[in-house]
């Protein structure tokens, strides 16, 4: 702080519209929130010094933070940098999309898989889909208008949303990503072992994001009861036996009601060396099978 804070002017920080409005509001402004623009400014300064980052692009809600970074770098180095802001993408209800809103999607497949991106766009409300098509596809405006006419005539077909999802996933992840999204979508809605067999283990993981995952070695004689206990699907064997007998456990979308049923590699392990366990209607567990290299 003693080294870098001398490049910051309190008058500039306090003059920001969002800072002034928060200070005058009933809830006030915490020191933590006020200091955020300082850290944002230093972050840009570090990027500029380390990587030569002279241009920053952000939503128009970041104008104050970018101004602070611009001023900091100018005073610290004497050099000019440039900030470009764009309007935030908002829904028809005025809600923004982003991390703070809890509905962010990412370009990286590691954070948002092609399937998750496809489903996010497929679920775009009718009131927002035309704006999304205009912003995020390269379709001519006349084609978008024609598509919207067809969509409004048969909204139950979700033609506009499907086209949006396909075009954006294709743009970001290519043909392979779009095909992956289609395979996952088919597996989700068909609930068949055949559809699951076409998925990789990573695609399975993205299909049921957040489900518990266990790595196991497929030992000879491993029963269904052994499997669900090792995968920690149940706290007690008695509970597992009861639910299995009642038909509440499925392996790769196939129900098995015998607790002592022995699992077979070619039948209960998918080509991706994974097995999907479902307990009840909504509880999913993924088992990744390790290779025996002994």
């Amino acid at each position: 702080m003693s080294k870098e804070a001398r490049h910051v002017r309190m008058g500039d920080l306090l003059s920001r519209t969002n800072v002034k409005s928060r200070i005058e509001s009933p809830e006030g402004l915490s020191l933590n929130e006020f200091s955020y623009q300082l850290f944002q400014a230093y972050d840009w300064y570090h990027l500029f010094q380390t990587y030569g980052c002279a241009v920053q692009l952000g939503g128009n809600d970041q104008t104050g933070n970018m101004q602070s970074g611009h001023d900091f770098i100018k005073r610290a180095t004497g050099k000019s940098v440039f900030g470009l802001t764009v309007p935030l993408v908002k829904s028809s209800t005025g809600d923004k999309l982003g991390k703070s809103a809890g509905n962010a999607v990412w370009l990286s497949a590691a954070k948002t898989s092609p399937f998750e991106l496809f489903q996010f766009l497929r679920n775009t409300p009718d009131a927002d889909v035309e704006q999304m098509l205009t912003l995020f596809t390269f379709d001519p405006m006349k084609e978008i208008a024609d598509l919207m006419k067809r969509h409004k005539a048969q909204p139950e077909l979700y033609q506009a949303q499907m086209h949006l999802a396909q075009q954006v996933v294709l743009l970001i992840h290519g043909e392979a990503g779009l095909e992956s999204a289609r395979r996952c979508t088919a597996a989700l809605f068909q609930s068949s072992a055949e559809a699951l067999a076409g998925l990789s283990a990573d695609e399975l993981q993205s299909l049921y994001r957040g489900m518990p995952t266990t790595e196991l070695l497929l030992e000879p004689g491993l029963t269904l009861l052994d499997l669900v206990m090792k995968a920690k699907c149940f706290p007690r064997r008695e509970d597992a036996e009861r639910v299995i007998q009642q038909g509440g456990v499925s392996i790769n979308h196939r129900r098995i009601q015998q607790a002592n049923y022995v699992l077979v590699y070619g039948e209960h392990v998918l080509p991706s060396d994974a097995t999907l366990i479902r307990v009840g209607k909504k509880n999913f567990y993924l088992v990744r099978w390790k290779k025996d290299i002994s």
Side-chain angles (χ1 to χ4, degrees):
M1 288 290 288
S2 61
K3 178 182 177 182
E4 306 296 350
R6 59 192 178 89
H7 301 302
V8 180
R9 298 294 179 267
M10 287 298 298
D12 294 338
L13 299 180
L14 292 170
S15 68
R16 308 284 185 239
T17 301
N18 63 326
V19 172
K20 290 171 64 177
S21 62
R22 286 295 304 278
I23 289 177
E24 295 168 1
S25 67
E27 65 270 18
L29 181 67
S30 70
L31 177 61
N32 182 50
E33 293 172 301
F34 177 75
S35 302
Y36 184 72
Q37 57 185 321
L38 296 175
F39 293 113
Q40 286 282 78
Y42 186 80
D43 181 63
W44 190 1
Y45 169 74
H46 172 75
L47 292 173
F48 178 71
Q49 292 290 79
T50 307
Y51 302 106
C53 176
V55 179
Q56 190 171 102
L57 173 67
N60 55 14
D61 62 335
Q62 297 296 309
T63 302
N65 293 329
M66 294 173 71
Q67 182 67 52
S68 295
H70 171 277
D71 296 345
F72 184 99
I73 293 170
K74 183 69 174 178
R75 290 196 183 97
T77 69
K79 298 178 181 178
S80 295
V81 292
F82 306 90
L84 175 64
T85 61
V86 295
L88 293 175
V89 178
K90 295 183 178 180
S91 70
S92 57
T93 59
D95 297 325
K96 72 175 185 179
L97 307 178
K99 291 184 293 183
S100 59
N103 56 1
V105 290
W106 304 83
L107 297 180
S108 169
K111 290 191 172 184
T112 300
S113 70
F115 164 74
E116 290 170 318
L117 179 61
F118 188 95
Q119 289 303 310
F120 175 84
L121 296 167
R122 160 64 178 74
N123 292 328
T124 301
D126 287 342
D128 301 328
V129 68
E130 186 170 5
Q131 174 192 228
M132 299 286 275
L133 284 164
T134 303
L135 291 174
F136 297 121
T137 74
F138 292 101
D139 294 342
M141 295 305 296
K142 184 180 184 305
E143 290 185 13
I144 293 176
D146 292 341
L147 175 61
M148 290 307 300
K149 286 181 182 179
R150 297 195 301 273
H151 171 71
K152 290 174 182 177
Q154 294 180 293
E156 70 278 3
L157 298 180
Y158 295 95
Q159 296 177 76
Q161 286 90 341
M162 290 295 292
H163 183 74
L164 172 67
Q166 290 169 4
Q167 290 301 306
V168 175
V169 172
L170 181 62
L171 177 65
I172 296 174
H173 298 293
E175 287 285 356
L178 181 57
E179 285 303 313
S180 173
R182 286 171 172 163
R183 288 194 300 271
C184 290
T185 300
L188 179 66
F189 291 104
Q190 292 177 11
S191 295
S192 70
E194 291 73 20
L196 287 178
L199 303 182
S200 68
D202 288 336
E203 286 174 334
L204 269 174
Q205 191 88 54
S206 71
L207 187 61
Y208 302 98
R209 178 76 75 178
M211 65 178 167
T213 301
T214 306
E215 285 195 356
L216 296 175
L217 182 66
L218 184 59
E219 301 168 345
L222 185 73
T223 67
L224 176 58
L225 180 59
D226 296 330
L227 175 63
V228 297
M229 293 307 299
K230 288 186 176 185
K232 300 180 181 178
C233 303
F234 297 92
R236 302 187 308 164
R237 294 179 69 88
E238 294 82 358
D239 297 332
E241 289 179 325
R242 173 175 51 79
V243 174
I244 291 172
Q245 292 169 3
Q246 293 174 349
V249 175
S250 297
I251 299 295
N252 300 332
H253 292 319
R254 290 176 178 167
R255 182 179 300 170
I256 301 175
Q257 293 182 254
Q258 296 81 38
N260 60 353
Y261 195 96
V262 177
L263 303 181
V264 180
Y265 184 86
E267 184 178 352
H268 304 109
V269 178
L270 297 169
S272 58
D273 289 325
T275 295
L276 181 69
I277 306 170
R278 187 181 70 191
V279 178
K281 293 183 177 180
K282 298 182 179 180
N283 298 308
F284 292 91
Y285 303 83
L286 182 67
V287 174
R288 292 176 181 258
W289 298 105
K290 295 185 291 186
K291 299 288 187 181
D292 186 0
I293 58 175
S294 59

